[in-house]
Structure formats: C-alpha cells, structure tokens
C-alpha cells in the first residue's frame, strides 16, 4: 500500500504536489462494478517505505520482456493501442482522473487484454518506487500545460520529475512527450535542453511535427489546431 507519510514528505516540494480533478460524472452501476471487481486485479501495489521497490516481474507474472509507462493516459486509447500491438511489453498506465480509469477498464474487459496494469492516482507514486533502469519507454502525452506563469511549477516536465525519469529509464530507453500547446512545446524544449541524460532524436523539423506511425492519434490531437501538435522523442543516454 502507499506510504502516506512518504508521499506527504515528497509533496512538501511545490513541483511534486498534485493539482487536478479526480472524478467527473457519477459512474453507472456497470462502471462501478468494473472499479470494484476488475481494477483490484490490475492495480499496481506501492510498497511502503522500507519495503523496497515494485516487483515488476511479479506484477506481470514474468511474461513480458520490457516495461513501458504512460503518465496520465486520459481515456486510455493510446495505452490500449500500444498494449495490443506489443504483446511482449507490460504497460503501466497511471491516471488520477477516475472516469479515465473506468474507460480503460471497459476496453480491457471487452478485449481481454492481459499486459496492462493500472494505477489510479498520481504517476509519481509509481515512479518513486520503480527500480533503477527498469523502464524501456515512457509516454507523457498532452499533459496539462498550466499556461499561467504562476502555475509553472505544476508542469510535469520539471527538474524533479526529469531526475526521477532519468533514474528509472534503461540506457537507450525512449521518452515521448506530446503536446498541442505552444507554451508547453517551448517549455519542454527548454527543460530538456538543460539535461545531460537525454538526447533529442529529431534531425529535422519533420521529426517532431509529424506523428510517427507507432504513435496513434489521441482525442486531444483531434481537437488541436492543424499543424500545432508536437511529437518529442528523447533517448536515455548510457550511464557513464
């Protein structure tokens, strides 16, 4: 279970506090049934302080070659596509908005997908407890841009979170960040340019303005102004 004291201590740092809504409209009886019966089977247990890190082999029953992480999966369309097209990969999805969680549960029930695990809360609870160099790919797609300058500390792409991602990523692992907000595009480029652990994979403008074939379109991109979406891809450089 999550160690609340440990999380409270972490959240004393402004950049590590959570801001956002947890729930929208009420669940139908069927949706509540998914939350009560299916979610516990797919839940990612968070070890308490002093109990070590998440056992990824046990989490996926030793049946996957790689582990990927999606931070804030929305309704889960992208995560579900990746899991369906990479059956040898275990995909952990983190989403604090519970209506998004139930949407992904509905998909899993209808498709009987077995390589997805879900944490219905702040992704950082999971990240802090993942072993070093254990994740092969991370997705952060259309995070809240928090456009007001006084809210800049709330943006997920910040020094503290990037420190944590660099720790859990394997050498050569890929970090994908998608946004349709011009401020967040500039912010991400600036923050990543200050990191020595990551290499930007773009060789020309088409590399970050054109969506890769294995990056399925999300509902946020459909709403975006044509040509405004940005597709960042960074590689974790080898540890010295």
């Amino acid at each position: 279970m999550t160690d609340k004291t440990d999380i409270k201590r972490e959240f004393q740092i402004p950049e590590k506090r959570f801001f956002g809504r947890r729930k929208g409209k009420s669940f139908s009886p069927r949706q509540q049934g998914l939350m009560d019966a299916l979610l516990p089977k797919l839940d990612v247990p968070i070890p308490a302080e002093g109990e070590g890190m998440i056992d990824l082999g046990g989490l996926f029953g030793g049946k996957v070659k790689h582990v990927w992480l999606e931070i804030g999966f929305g309704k889960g369309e992208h995560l579900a596509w990746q899991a369906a097209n990479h059956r040898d990969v275990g995909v952990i999805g983190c989403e604090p908005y519970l209506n998004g969680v139930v949407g992904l549960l509905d998909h899993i029930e209808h498709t009987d997908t077995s390589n997805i695990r879900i944490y219905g809360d702040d992704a950082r609870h999971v990240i802090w407890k993942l072993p070093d160099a254990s994740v092969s790919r991370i997705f952060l797609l259309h995070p809240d841009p928090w456009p007001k300058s006084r809210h800049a500390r709330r943006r997920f792409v910040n020094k503290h979170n990037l420190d944590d991602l660099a720790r859990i990523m394997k050498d050569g692992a890929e970090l994908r960040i998608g946004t349709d907000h011009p401020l967040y595009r500039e912010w991400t480029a600036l923050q990543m340019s200050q990191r020595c652990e990551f290499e930007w994979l773009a060789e020309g403008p088409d590399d970050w303005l054109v969506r890769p074939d294995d990056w399925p379109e999300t509902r946020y991109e459909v709403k975006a102004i044509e040509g405004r979406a940005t597709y960042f891809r960074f590689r974790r450089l080898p540890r010295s």
Side-chain angles (χ1 to χ4, degrees):
M1 60 182 295
T2 303
D3 190 309
K4 300 298 184 183
T5 301
D6 190 39
I7 291 174
K8 184 177 180 181
R9 185 186 308 116
E10 291 283 358
F11 280 6
Q12 290 175 353
I13 301 173
E15 290 85 343
K16 294 192 174 186
R17 293 177 60 194
F18 173 78
F19 299 89
R21 61 177 181 162
R22 300 283 188 176
K23 194 173 185 294
K25 63 180 182 180
S26 299
F27 296 145
S28 68
R30 179 179 175 279
Q31 289 175 324
Q32 189 61 56
L34 290 174
M35 294 292 287
D36 294 339
L38 183 55
L39 181 58
K41 298 177 182 178
L42 305 176
D43 186 42
V44 180
I46 308 298
E49 188 173 15
E51 293 185 358
M53 310 300 274
I54 295 172
D55 175 12
L56 293 175
L59 184 66
F60 290 100
K63 298 179 180 179
V64 300
K65 296 180 180 178
H66 302 283
V67 174
W68 294 357
L69 171 69
E70 182 159 350
I71 300 168
F73 57 72
K75 291 290 185 178
E77 304 101 318
H78 173 271
L79 188 152
W81 187 94
Q82 295 291 356
N85 286 274
H86 301 92
R87 295 289 184 174
D88 61 341
V89 172
V91 187
I92 298 174
C94 303
E95 175 56 64
Y97 185 54
L98 298 183
N99 295 73
V101 172
V102 79
L104 179 58
L105 290 173
D106 183 70
H107 175 87
I108 292 172
E109 183 185 53
H110 281 95
T111 60
D112 195 28
T113 307
S114 63
N115 57 331
I116 294 174
R117 298 294 180 269
I118 300 174
Y119 185 69
D121 208 324
D122 193 321
R124 289 169 295 187
H125 302 171
V126 173
I127 292 169
W128 296 332
K129 289 295 184 176
L130 284 171
D132 293 356
S134 61
V135 178
S136 299
R137 187 173 293 182
I138 297 176
F139 306 97
L140 176 65
L141 307 184
H142 300 278
D144 195 323
W146 295 107
K148 296 181 180 179
S149 58
R150 69 175 182 270
H151 294 155
R153 285 183 169 184
R154 301 182 184 183
R155 296 169 190 157
F156 189 90
V157 177
N158 63 53
K159 178 186 183 304
H160 299 288
N161 291 335
L162 292 175
D163 286 346
D164 291 331
L165 297 189
R167 178 187 66 80
I168 67 172
M169 292 174 70
K170 294 181 177 181
D171 291 353
E174 185 175 328
L175 170 61
R176 295 186 174 186
I177 303 175
T179 183
D180 61 356
H181 197 287
L183 185 150
Y184 211 86
R185 177 175 62 241
E186 295 171 6
W187 173 268
T188 299
L190 175 62
Q191 296 297 313
M192 295 303 294
S193 70
Q194 298 172 359
R195 306 297 303 197
C196 62
E197 309 96 332
F198 298 98
E199 174 189 16
W200 190 7
L201 296 178
E203 297 179 354
D206 286 348
D207 293 337
W208 53 280
L209 294 177
V210 176
R211 181 168 51 85
D213 292 338
D214 64 344
W215 188 324
E217 189 175 51
T218 69
R219 65 182 59 213
Y220 297 100
E221 291 168 52
V222 173
K223 297 177 182 178
I225 298 175
E226 184 178 357
R228 199 171 71 175
T230 303
Y231 308 91
F232 287 110
R233 296 173 61 233
F234 302 95
R235 179 165 51 217
R236 178 56 163 99
L237 293 171
R239 292 160 172 80
S240 56

